[in-house]
Amino acid sequence: MSTVHVLGTGAIPFRKYPEKTLAEIGWPALREAMLEAGVRADDINAVYCGTALGGMLAGQRVAKALGISGMAIVNVENACSSSSSALAQAWMAVKSGACDIVAVIGVEKLTKFGGGTLPLEREDWEVNQGMVMPALYAMRAKRYMHEFGLTEAQLAQVSVKAHDHGALNPNAQIQKRVTLEEVMASRMVAEPFTLWHCCPTGDGAAALIIGSEKAARKFGKGRVRIAASEVTSGKYTNGYRDMTFPELTVRGAHEAYEMAGIGASDIDVAEIHDAFTIAELMYYEAFGLCERGGAYDLLASGATSLGGRVPVNPSGGLLSRGHPVGATGAVQAVEIVRQLEGRAGKHQVEGAKVGLTHATGGGIAGFDHGACSIHVFTL
Amino acid sequence: MSGQKDEAAEGPRFVDPELVALQGGRLQLKGGCCKSCGALSFPKGQVCTQCLSLEIDDKILSGEGELYSYSRVHMAPKGWDVPYTVGYVDLAEGIRIFAHIDESASPVQIGGRVWLGEGRVGTAPDGAILKSYLFATVAGGRT
């Protein structure tokens, strides 16, 4: 089995592009990835495109703009994990030897829905009773605060950190620092979350060209290797669940660490799924970056800020870079690859050699989350 | 809020009448119990997730529970009466129910007991009042 290498990356600035089509949002990212890799359309054996709400044949719509057609083009929908799941499919295609060079796209246009909370599937009985994504995470936050004594002001500091990072990232949707007072005084969405506790909705796209060891040699690219690729789903129950410790991320992290042959202490930089402030804290614990209940202390110590021991979400994360649902997994991967290659610019994590991405989501009754995908990148 | 005229014309409707049953004039939550293996479900399953049996009996669930967590929602899709409080209520039989929470008697508290009731939760596009099952706190707070 081949090792799997990243030959090229592309990402567009995450913004609101109501005037553009999904294909127009997507192709510039894929073009950049192809130019970085030095590959042409004919070199690509397969395309995996992740989008949650982009509609039918999104991958074909993006690929044809660049003359890419005639190979397998597969569209992957897995809520917030759509393009990270697409990356996992691509990884498997290369790892197995079935393909030498595969393109991965993550693309989403949320501005087509207007504004407000993400449209969820009304067929789900909890959604039908008034569940919205902010409320789901807010209930996690309330329970975590109850069990571990976390305060609203402490929780709000996650947002301050995210926007400190995002202010340094020209591709971030929000490039504005916020103060603790601004976070706490902004409009209430779902208690304890004000607007600044929630990721913005917007549009975005990112892409990667990945390939085998042979392809990496041929094109003289691919210093960064994908050492682990993991997709899992939540475990269904209509009974009790511990909402402060996301079971599927805990399980996925163990599996990914094992596959990569690393432990939590080896991680130099991570992009994790901070859709709402509480998520970042819970995922510190789920990934073993700290003990249960120790997440706020880790944040407050500065360890997860730029310059700290293990910077988390140097891009600004979902809270600041933005979260066009299906594009998130791919842009996290682009970010980590560029971090390991030392070309992340103002938000560079110096000397990072091992990086992690994590996209999880999907509000569905009976699950912590519908899907979770984790990747480990090494230099 | 909708106009009085529409409400009078339409009458209140349940968001999902399949989730509830009337027993002795009182609203109850209707789950399922697998005839073959006894596994409980809510909402009542069409197929048992434990043994794949298709024979599921109605099972009236208990009308009180413990609040696991909650949030007051201030931004929601059109149709819901914002702000509203939602929560997860743990029933003694091991089922967790997502529900609107009526905290008019006393503010909700995690770990507090709540009782099944019904009430207005929103307004349909045609102006009809939307009702649902909900769990309510009691006067005096935590019991």
Side-chain angles (χ1 to χ4, degrees), chain A residues 2-3 5 7 211-222:
Chain A
S2 175
T3 47
H5 302 258
L7 310 185
S212 64
E213 203 177 346
K214 194 177 95 189
R217 268 202 309 273
K218 179 178 169 193
F219 288 90
K221 297 281 161 55

Side-chain angles (χ1 to χ4, degrees), chain A:
Chain A
M1 287 201 294
S2 175
T3 47
V4 182
H5 302 258
V6 180
L7 310 185
T9 60
I12 65 163
F14 281 25
R15 302 280 187 269
K16 293 190 174 179
Y17 299 111
E19 73 291 353
K20 288 186 193 284
T21 65
L22 188 82
E24 288 167 347
I25 290 168
W27 71 251
L30 182 54
R31 178 176 176 270
E32 186 184 7
M34 289 171 70
L35 292 176
E36 272 195 19
V39 303
R40 295 173 316 152
D42 291 350
D43 297 317
I44 296 172
N45 305 139
V47 178
Y48 291 90
C49 176
T51 184
L53 299 151
M56 258 189 250
L57 300 179
Q60 282 86 340
R61 281 183 270 148
V62 172
K64 79 168 189 182
L66 301 172
I68 302 166
S69 60
M71 69 292 289
I73 302 181
V74 179
N75 294 284
V76 179
E77 187 283 300
N78 221 4
C80 307
S81 312
S82 293
S83 60
S84 44
S85 297
L87 176 60
Q89 297 301 307
W91 181 87
M92 212 182 300
V94 172
K95 186 85 180 164
S96 70
C99 293
D100 260 336
I101 298 179
V102 180
V104 178
I105 308 163
V107 60
E108 203 78 79
K109 182 183 175 182
L110 295 182
T111 50
K112 74 175 179 184
F113 298 107
T117 58
L118 201 63
L120 298 179
E121 183 52 67
R122 193 81 195 220
E123 200 171 280
D124 184 270
W125 77 269
E126 290 188 349
V127 173
N128 198 38
Q129 290 290 329
M131 178 67 96
V132 288
M133 289 311 289
L136 179 63
Y137 280 89
M139 285 192 279
R140 293 183 177 133
K142 285 277 191 188
R143 185 71 198 191
Y144 188 100
M145 293 162 84
H146 174 78
E147 289 193 19
F148 298 104
L150 182 78
T151 68
E152 287 186 22
Q154 289 173 337
L155 186 58
Q157 287 173 38
V158 175
S159 179
V160 174
K161 187 214 84 173
H163 293 93
D164 281 350
H165 288 180
L168 302 172
N169 179 3
N171 277 353
Q173 187 174 337
I174 303 173
Q175 293 170 47
K176 175 188 178 307
R177 290 198 158 85
V178 291
T179 64
L180 188 63
E181 293 69 32
E182 284 172 312
V183 175
M184 296 191 70
S186 65
R187 180 178 166 198
M188 190 58 79
V189 175
E191 297 174 31
F193 300 151
T194 62
L195 205 55
W196 286 112
H197 284 258
C198 311
C199 60
T201 59
D203 308 321
L208 301 99
I209 304 293
I210 70 169
S212 64
E213 203 177 346
K214 194 177 95 189
R217 268 202 309 273
K218 179 178 169 193
F219 288 90
K221 297 281 161 55
R223 282 170 64 213
V224 173
R225 201 163 65 84
I226 306 179
S229 174
E230 160 77 14
V231 182
T232 190
S233 62
K235 286 188 175 170
Y236 173 76
T237 175
N238 55 29
Y240 307 162
R241 276 178 290 128
D242 182 351
M243 287 181 75
T244 69
F245 199 52
E247 181 277 328
L248 80 169
T249 293
V250 173
R251 183 161 39 84
H254 279 133
E255 289 171 7
Y257 288 166
E258 195 179 320
M259 198 184 296
I262 63 163
S265 60
D266 294 313
I267 306 287
D268 297 317
V269 56
E271 286 281 319
I272 63 176
H273 200 86
D274 61 329
F276 299 87
T277 46
I278 189 64
E280 172 144 333
L281 296 182
M282 284 172 46
Y283 294 137
Y284 289 172
E285 297 173 19
F287 278 104
L289 301 181
C290 64
E291 297 292 308
R292 293 287 310 270
Y296 174 71
D297 287 343
L298 186 72
L299 175 80
S301 76
T304 56
S305 296
L306 279 166
R309 174 170 62 79
V310 52
V312 174
N313 294 325
S315 70
L318 279 62
L319 287 172
S320 181
R321 182 200 56 237
H323 179 36
V325 183
T328 288
V331 82
Q332 289 176 329
V334 169
E335 170 69 23
I336 291 298
V337 171
R338 291 177 176 179
Q339 286 285 354
L340 300 193
E341 292 179 344
R343 53 193 184 99
K346 284 184 184 167
H347 61 289
Q348 178 67 45
V349 175
E350 294 304 327
K353 291 186 170 56
V354 179
L356 177 88
T357 62
H358 166 245
T360 182
I364 174 170
F367 288 85
D368 275 335
H369 273 305
C372 176
S373 180
I374 296 166
H375 287 84
V376 175
F377 299 79
T378 57
L379 203 54

Side-chain angles (χ1 to χ4, degrees), chain B residues 26-29 60-65 89 91 93 113-117 134-136:
Chain B
R26 285 197 58 197
L27 181 100
Q28 307 279 5
L29 283 175
I60 298 301
L61 302 177
S62 51
E64 66 168 285
V89 177
L91 306 184
E93 50 267 57
R113 295 213 72 77
V114 285
W115 278 266
L116 184 67
L134 45 72
F135 281 84

